[in-house]
Amino acid sequence: MKRRYYSVRMRASKEGVHISGAEGIYVRDDVNKMVQTYSQRAFPHEKGRADGIFIKVEELKETPRNISTLSLYTLNTKSPEAVQKTVVEILTSVGITQRAIKEAYTSLTRGITMRGAMLMDVEGVRLEPDLLRGVRVTRMGITRNAASLLSKKLSKYGLNNNTVKEALILSSKVNKHPMVLGELCLSDDPNYTVGYVSTRKYGYIRLPRIKKRGIPFGGRAFFITGGEVKDLIKYLQNTPVLINKIRPIRGILSVKEILER
Ligand code: PML
Ligand code: MG
């Protein structure tokens, strides 16, 4: 019999304002346990105690597509200025213009945090239909085996936490699509100053000190090329993707080492 998969999604809010969210794709036997895990996780949060927790369980009509993670590294960047310079080096090397990178930076640091990501072509033109909401990536998860291997590998570098794992899973789904050339992400959490830039070629590159502590906004930009934007949006929002393979996780590298790999 065909194996059934379920999407389990959680979002928590306080006085109507979104404070946290998480999701995964699970087999039937794991659904109950995950509903409990997500509800426990939703209560305490840096942005305050949730007063509404919404958990949605949905049977998937489509069998998830298996993919591997991107490889993961951390750069040795020391300041927001150094990060920006590095991001330009990495993204221009895969065909994204300086203008687009500057545009993404301006939008991500302007103080409006969108719920979803912005889509930007290589020249910096915004392509998402709803410029305020952006595009949310959903329907992604990781198999039990891959999750335990990922935890083990991340633990070596002190990175075994939900923030890193979920960002890596999301970015691996995003960069799998042929229209995506790369992604830039800054957390909207004021105390979280590590962002990342990712591309299929170089993998997921963590960027320490992408912003100064205390800045409460951030977001994601996906740089895209060619093809139908509506097909890409459909993939990002609806196509279920399940990580079943972990690419190498490494420690701290310099930009030079990354670009020369
Ligand atoms: C977020 O969820 O707020 C973005 C997280 C970015 C994670 C960067 C990392 O530490 O790898
Ligand atoms: Mg967040």
Side-chain angles (χ1 to χ4, degrees), residues 88-238:
V88 169
E89 271 183 81
I90 292 167
L91 291 180
T92 52
S93 84
V94 297
I96 299 157
T97 63
Q98 292 217 30
R99 196 210 299 182
I101 300 161
K102 205 166 154 229
E103 191 56 42
Y105 249 92
T106 309
S107 303
L108 291 176
T109 52
R110 191 169 39 198
I112 305 163
T113 296
M114 293 157 52
R115 286 286 296 280
M118 62 180 104
L119 302 181
M120 196 169 262
D121 75 6
V122 293
E123 301 293 339
V125 176
R126 298 271 297 272
L127 298 175
E128 71 276 16
D130 184 335
L131 294 174
L132 282 175
R133 285 184 71 84
V135 176
R136 277 182 75 72
V137 185
T138 66
R139 304 236 156 67
M140 62 223 148
I142 182 164
T143 63
R144 229 197 267 186
N145 284 343
S148 68
L149 183 59
L150 179 60
S151 292
K152 202 170 122 198
K153 289 190 175 193
L154 288 171
S155 292
K156 273 197 203 154
Y157 303 100
L159 295 175
N160 186 26
N161 58 67
N162 289 328
T163 306
V164 173
K165 281 191 281 199
E166 287 167 5
L168 177 63
I169 293 168
L170 181 147
S171 194
S172 301
K173 175 176 180 182
V174 171
N175 280 283
K176 192 72 193 176
H177 196 283
M179 280 175 70
V180 175
L181 291 174
E183 176 189 357
L184 175 65
C185 169
L186 259 92
S187 178
D188 56 354
D189 181 335
N191 294 313
Y192 203 89
T193 59
V194 184
Y196 66 85
V197 60
S198 57
T199 70
R200 270 188 295 284
K201 181 166 174 198
Y202 301 117
Y204 175 106
I205 304 168
R206 304 181 64 247
L207 303 165
R209 299 179 197 87
I210 194 169
K211 69 175 188 184
K212 291 209 169 72
R213 203 166 275 281
I215 296 175
F217 40 78
R220 291 184 156 90
F222 303 154
F223 297 95
I224 66 177
T225 184
E228 282 288 341
V229 174
K230 68 174 187 333
D231 293 341
L232 171 66
I233 293 177
K234 204 169 140 214
Y235 166 79
L236 295 172
Q237 293 181 335
N238 297 322

